[in-house]
Amino acid sequence: MYVQFKVFRSDWHSWEVLFQQAADFLTEIGPERTISVSHSQEGSVGVVSAWYWTDQPPSKPAA
């Protein structure tokens, strides 16, 4: 098993939209794969981070 994350970020959408996007994603993957979810704000940008378990190795970010 691998730990993966998905980030929902916007300075355009409301918190309700960001939270709903994260809730839809976590509902799709199920509670058995969910590790945690958190949120933060810097200026006008809202960020929701969802951490979860997966069988797929994470892809490497472009340098």
Side-chain angles (χ1 to χ4, degrees):
M1 297 288 285
Y2 300 92
V3 174
Q4 186 62 275
F5 63 90
K6 185 166 177 105
V7 176
F8 304 89
R9 171 193 300 258
S10 182
D11 60 352
W12 182 262
H13 295 298
S14 68
W15 279 112
E16 287 80 12
V17 170
L18 285 176
F19 289 149
Q20 189 61 60
Q21 289 173 344
D24 291 346
F25 171 74
L26 293 169
T27 297
E28 181 181 318
I29 67 167
E32 65 281 350
R33 291 182 48 202
T34 301
I35 298 171
S36 71
V37 62
S38 62
H39 70 282
S40 64
Q41 179 179 2
E42 183 174 342
S44 64
V45 178
V47 178
V48 179
S49 303
W51 292 85
Y52 62 99
W53 293 105
T54 181
D55 292 329
Q56 303 294 322
S59 58
K60 301 289 184 197

